[in-house]
Amino acid sequence: IRLVILASFYRSKDNQFNLTKHTNMKKIILLQEIFQCKLEELSPDEQEMILKARKATKGSYSPYSGFEVGCTIQLDDLTIIEDGSNYENAAYTVTTCAERVLLHYLHVTHQTEKIIKIAVTAKHKSEGVDYVGETPVAPCGVCRQSLKEVEDRIGKQLIFLLDGFNNDKIYRVIGIDSLLPLGFGPASLGMTVK
């Protein structure tokens, strides 16, 4: 996946972008490495994380969207924290995503620093038991921002396993920067956090 950001530009009279007048302009190319793999290609613990995340979707309270999200988190002692699922509310801004349910639990139990991997999956509740998704689901923007804070706080990259109930198409991503390029974090405020 390639993301190209141009520092400045202008439109010519024919409404086309023209970069030739700005000779000092620099193009910045941000590359994200996202590995697509099959469930069987993952390590046994990662396979278990995906399967438990799929199971966690059954705990979703999603009467408004019908979008059932499941999440598991692995700690550095290889313990898998499971049963993360989304919890919706009629006032949508009060909704809590599956990822943040587990992040908050790990924070209050003083285990945030132990996080090493996160698996996320989702499906619509109207889908049957034989559902196979087209594309893996990724964390929403709010969750990505929360996960960036965790990475910045613990000082290490996390591994993300993104699934859509498809054993032949799972994304394995190293580091939140691949999901949230140019993310805002403590460094943006001139700070570090622990």
Side-chain angles (χ1 to χ4, degrees):
I1 298 174
R2 179 179 276 203
L3 173 67
V4 178
I5 298 176
L6 301 175
S8 65
F9 57 85
Y10 77 98
R11 290 183 185 260
S12 62
K13 290 180 184 175
D14 59 357
N15 210 28
Q16 298 296 313
F17 291 111
N18 188 333
L19 303 176
T20 57
K21 287 189 175 182
H22 298 283
T23 56
N24 293 329
M25 186 184 328
K26 295 179 182 177
K27 177 169 58 172
I28 300 170
I29 299 175
L30 303 174
L31 298 176
Q32 289 80 33
E33 287 189 334
I34 298 175
F35 300 93
Q36 181 178 317
C37 53
K38 296 180 179 185
L39 182 66
E40 64 197 36
E41 296 171 331
L42 296 172
S43 65
D45 62 306
E46 291 177 346
Q47 291 178 38
E48 182 181 1
M49 289 181 70
I50 293 289
L51 296 176
K52 286 184 173 182
R54 289 177 184 179
K55 183 179 173 188
T57 62
K58 294 176 183 169
S60 169
Y61 176 72
S62 49
Y64 306 104
S65 72
F67 194 62
E68 300 173 332
V69 183
C71 178
T72 57
I73 293 180
Q74 187 177 59
L75 305 180
D76 57 10
D77 64 0
L78 303 185
T79 301
I80 296 175
I81 308 298
E82 51 191 287
D83 295 331
S85 59
N86 56 322
Y87 189 86
E88 292 184 350
N89 189 290
Y92 279 109
T93 58
V94 184
T95 294
T96 306
C97 299
E99 302 93 318
R100 288 183 289 124
V101 165
L102 288 186
L103 288 176
H104 295 162
Y105 167 76
L106 291 169
H107 173 72
V108 299
T109 58
H110 309 285
Q111 299 181 81
T112 303
E113 294 78 14
K114 299 178 181 179
I115 298 172
I116 59 171
K117 296 179 185 177
I118 298 173
V120 181
T121 191
K123 68 178 185 66
H124 196 275
K125 68 178 162 187
S126 65
E127 304 296 346
V129 293
D130 296 326
Y131 173 71
V132 176
E134 300 261 333
T135 306
V137 68
C140 74
V142 173
C143 286
R144 292 177 199 210
Q145 188 64 48
S146 296
L147 292 161
K148 174 154 181 51
E149 186 78 15
V150 168
E151 266 196 13
D152 288 346
R153 181 177 165 193
I154 65 178
K156 64 183 176 190
Q157 289 185 316
L158 302 175
I159 294 173
F160 299 91
L161 305 169
L162 309 179
D163 176 55
F165 280 78
N166 184 336
N167 289 347
D168 292 328
K169 193 173 188 180
I170 295 169
Y171 293 159
R172 189 175 192 277
V173 183
I174 300 172
I176 194 63
D177 289 341
S178 290
L179 296 173
L180 186 66
L182 301 176
F184 182 85
S188 305
L189 299 171
M191 300 175 60
T192 57
V193 292
K194 293 290 173 201

